[in-house]
Amino acid sequence: MVSILGSFDYSLSALETAMRPTQIRTHSIRRAHENIDKTLKSAEEAKILKGPHEDLESYLEAIDQLRKIIKFFSSNKNFKSSDGVLNQCNVLLAKAISKLEDEFRQLLTNYSKPVEPDRLFDCLPNSLRPASGVPGVEGDANGKSHAEQQKTLQAAVYTPPILIPPRVVPLLHDLAQQMVQAGHQQQLFRIYRDTRASVLEQSLRKLGVERLSKDDVQKMQWEVLEAKIGNWIHHMRIAVKLLFAGERKICDQILDGVNSLRDQCFAEVTANSVVVLLSFGEGIAKSKRSPEKLFVLLDMYEIMRELQSEIHFLFGSKACMEMREASFDDFEEAVEKDATKTAVFDGTVHPLTSYVINYVKFLFDYRTTLKLLFEEFDDGNPEVQLANVTTRIVLALQNNLDGKARQYKDPALTQLFLMNNIHYIVRSVRRSEAKDVLGDDWVQIQRRIVQQHANQYKRVSWAKILQCLTVQGHPGGGSMGGDMSGSGVSRGVIKDRFKTFNVQFEELHQRQSQWTVP
């Protein structure tokens, strides 16, 4: 009996020892259930249903507790209450995320305001701030050469505006992270895109950016279009350097850690604004060619190159490809076929000549840009290509001048006109950078041509009159100089010849005194 009881006592002791972990576990589970009930009750009553507006930090802690409960019961489904607790927690979490979305939308909307133009101008370097508040008219840049302006711009410092107060950004970031954890990426994407895209477009509209199609561009008077191109260049710089840069910064901060969504959000926020800006540039690049458009196209190309590193991921290289369509062939053809009705009665420099030479000199203001264009889109030596372009344009001008010269009825005026115009070309080239490209040989050849036209003018003008002073028909020939008595010419003939000379000289003088050698 003692032995049996002793054995029984041992068995009870062993059983108690064996059951202790179970008792502890059961106690823990009971405590856990109590804690869960308390947590759920606390989260639901004090935090979740109230919303995150007053105390976001506590709200996020409550959501974190909910997620831990869901995780625990998802991995311990053998408990009787698992399904009930999971359902309750999931319903509560869905409510919490919905309130987070509302809070994210409200915060982002409240602190997303369009940027006023004056505030944007303050973010620009001094050289680019509009003078007298007129868009497109730059301040310190006025009076500088094109090359000096470009150098100033390269060293310019831009300060992107603060689009959302820094204290709000971390809150938006935390809310965005919670939405992503809940699998609500698309809701986050739509809220962010719709809010920020609208505000960005409003900022650009306030700045004066307008949507213009190719047809709109074609209908505009050149003076109006030229002003709009100046504004467009200014707007492109502000959009990319300030507004897009600011959007990129807050997008990276708010969506930090959500790489898959970050780039997509930024692209979609800026997409419509980019289209509005580039549709105008494309309209200009694809519009009907005219010589005066070359330099504004080069200005547009320059701004695209200046902004290339910043906009490459948005535009790729397409925008720059459109801008490169600044064509010299059209200008060359226009010069050669110019049928200007403006008559130059005095043989002076024709307006076409001064226009084309100014055009060529202006080309050399853009020399750096043109060489970049040649390097980017052609394989040849850029200096040689620039020389070829310049030579072809000058040759086209000379061919046109030859045609205009033949319209004069007086052959002397033809020669004077060519002398004046080619001399103007040579003198202008010698005083410009074009001399480096066309070369000394070209200059010397043209100078000889000027002299030939001068000689031809003298010959054609004076040959007939000078014949009056020549002893015609006399075996000895010669002029009517000193030895008049031995010439065999009678006084009457000499008198007639002087009379004829005087009449012809008077006619020639009267006619040619109206001509000009500038």
Side-chain angles (χ1 to χ4, degrees):
M1 191 68 167
V2 170
S3 175
I4 291 168
L5 286 172
S7 173
F8 184 65
D9 184 50
Y10 173 78
S11 297
L12 279 176
S13 177
L15 184 61
E16 187 180 353
T17 303
M19 286 180 66
R20 190 168 291 118
T22 306
Q23 289 172 335
I24 293 168
R25 191 164 173 234
T26 303
H27 179 71
S28 296
I29 290 169
R30 188 163 54 250
R31 287 285 304 277
H33 273 288
E34 288 171 4
N35 287 339
I36 289 163
D37 289 338
K38 286 178 185 176
T39 301
L40 289 173
K41 188 176 181 183
S42 170
E44 185 167 5
E45 290 176 3
K47 302 286 187 296
I48 304 300
L49 297 179
K50 193 175 182 182
H53 188 66
E54 290 181 9
D55 188 354
L56 178 61
E57 190 176 348
S58 297
Y59 194 84
L60 294 179
E61 284 175 4
I63 289 177
D64 196 43
Q65 283 181 323
L66 270 178
R67 285 206 170 100
K68 287 176 181 176
I69 294 168
I70 291 169
K71 185 179 178 182
F72 175 81
F73 280 100
S74 295
S75 57
N76 291 279
K77 292 199 171 182
N78 53 330
F79 298 139
K80 278 186 180 181
S81 58
S82 288
D83 291 341
V85 172
L86 279 171
N87 287 337
Q88 189 180 356
C89 287
N90 282 322
V91 168
L92 204 54
L93 186 61
K95 288 179 183 178
I97 298 303
S98 176
K99 289 185 179 294
L100 281 181
E101 279 184 25
D102 293 340
E103 181 70 8
F104 182 82
R105 184 185 289 105
Q106 190 175 347
L107 261 182
L108 191 63
T109 303
N110 288 347
Y111 289 100
S112 291
K113 304 295 178 190
V115 187
E116 295 298 326
D118 287 346
R119 195 169 142 225
L120 286 171
F121 298 153
D122 287 342
C123 297
L124 291 170
N126 289 334
S127 60
L128 290 174
R129 290 180 188 175
S132 307
V134 181
V137 180
E138 293 162 7
D140 295 354
N142 290 338
K144 290 184 178 179
S145 71
H146 181 82
E148 287 173 330
Q149 287 182 38
Q150 289 303 112
K151 194 171 181 181
T152 302
L153 291 174
Q154 287 172 6
V157 176
Y158 299 80
T159 311
I162 295 170
L163 302 180
I164 292 178
R167 63 184 175 80
V168 180
V169 172
L171 301 179
L172 289 167
H173 171 261
D174 291 343
L175 289 166
Q177 292 284 24
Q178 290 291 338
M179 289 171 68
V180 171
Q181 282 184 46
H184 288 216
Q185 288 97 327
Q186 286 309 306
Q187 292 93 319
L188 170 63
F189 170 73
R190 280 196 296 272
I191 294 168
Y192 190 91
R193 177 198 61 194
D194 295 347
T195 306
R196 290 307 309 168
S198 172
V199 170
L200 176 60
E201 288 160 33
Q202 288 177 58
S203 297
L204 289 172
R205 276 198 297 274
K206 282 176 173 283
L207 191 63
V209 174
E210 52 188 332
R211 186 187 286 270
L212 294 170
S213 66
K214 182 182 172 184
D215 291 338
D216 296 329
V217 169
Q218 293 283 30
K219 292 172 188 173
M220 282 183 194
Q221 294 292 323
W222 169 243
E223 291 77 14
V224 176
L225 192 59
E226 191 173 23
K228 286 192 179 293
I229 290 169
N231 287 341
W232 179 85
I233 289 169
H234 197 53
H235 295 156
M236 276 297 296
R237 195 177 272 118
I238 289 174
V240 175
K241 296 275 192 182
L242 301 180
L243 289 171
F244 293 168
E247 288 295 341
R248 178 87 247 187
K249 184 178 179 181
I250 62 164
C251 187
D252 287 350
Q253 289 174 335
I254 293 171
L255 301 177
D256 182 36
V258 195
N259 295 339
S260 59
L261 208 59
R262 198 168 58 186
D263 290 343
Q264 186 187 1
C265 269
F266 176 68
E268 295 263 346
V269 163
T270 55
N272 195 49
S273 297
V274 168
V275 168
V276 169
L277 285 162
L278 288 188
S279 63
F280 177 74
E282 188 179 26
I284 298 291
K286 290 185 174 179
S287 63
K288 187 179 177 182
R289 292 281 174 271
S290 62
E292 64 270 19
K293 280 184 186 171
L294 173 63
F295 297 108
V296 293
L297 280 167
L298 286 173
D299 285 334
M300 292 168 82
Y301 174 78
E302 280 185 350
I303 188 64
M304 296 307 285
R305 275 197 71 90
E306 181 189 327
L307 304 173
Q308 189 175 26
S309 60
E310 284 118 315
I311 64 176
H312 184 72
F313 64 96
L314 280 175
F315 310 145
S317 59
K318 185 183 175 185
C320 292
M321 288 289 283
E322 297 291 358
M323 295 305 150
R324 83 174 179 93
E325 293 188 7
S327 171
F328 305 104
D329 297 335
D330 301 304
F331 182 68
E332 184 186 334
E333 186 178 352
V335 170
E336 193 145 21
K337 293 182 178 178
D338 175 77
T340 309
K341 295 290 188 262
T342 308
V344 182
F345 296 110
D346 60 358
T348 191
V349 176
H350 196 280
L352 178 69
T353 305
S354 55
Y355 172 70
V356 173
I357 292 303
N358 284 335
Y359 189 94
V360 169
K361 284 157 73 174
F362 207 15
L363 272 183
F364 282 87
D365 278 348
Y366 287 84
R367 187 174 184 170
T368 304
T369 303
L370 287 168
K371 284 165 70 176
L372 287 170
L373 261 172
F374 291 136
E375 285 174 356
E376 190 167 347
F377 300 106
D378 292 292
D379 296 328
N381 183 315
E383 281 287 352
V384 172
Q385 287 174 307
L386 184 56
N388 289 341
V389 164
T390 308
T391 305
R392 289 203 318 265
I393 290 173
V394 173
L395 183 61
L397 173 61
Q398 289 174 310
N399 290 339
N400 185 285
L401 292 173
D402 284 340
K404 283 180 167 49
R406 285 194 292 272
Q407 294 172 6
Y408 292 111
K409 292 178 181 178
D410 190 328
L413 187 54
T414 294
Q415 298 301 324
L416 189 80
F417 172 79
L418 290 171
M419 179 196 80
N420 281 334
N421 280 269
I422 296 173
H423 178 258
Y424 178 86
I425 294 170
V426 174
R427 188 187 63 177
S428 300
V429 166
R430 284 181 65 197
R431 294 177 178 180
S432 74
E433 288 185 72
K435 182 189 175 188
D436 300 336
V437 169
L438 294 172
D440 287 330
D441 288 345
W442 183 90
V443 171
Q444 291 307 320
I445 290 168
Q446 299 305 314
R447 288 179 73 179
R448 283 198 292 273
I449 291 172
V450 171
Q451 191 59 53
Q452 286 167 10
H453 286 304
N455 293 338
Q456 283 290 85
Y457 154 75
K458 287 188 286 187
R459 188 184 62 78
V460 173
S461 289
W462 295 94
K464 187 178 178 183
I465 299 178
L466 290 174
Q467 283 177 1
C468 297
L469 306 181
T470 303
V471 183
Q472 292 180 330
H474 188 271
S479 68
M480 292 177 64
D483 188 14
M484 190 179 293
S485 58
S487 65
V489 180
S490 69
R491 278 183 171 278
V493 171
I494 291 170
K495 202 172 180 180
D496 287 342
R497 290 199 178 173
F498 272 130
K499 185 179 180 182
T500 302
F501 174 84
N502 286 337
V503 169
Q504 290 186 1
F505 183 90
E506 187 59 37
E507 287 176 358
L508 190 77
H509 175 264
Q510 191 175 359
R511 188 166 64 253
Q512 292 201 13
S513 62
Q514 305 299 314
W515 297 354
T516 304
V517 179

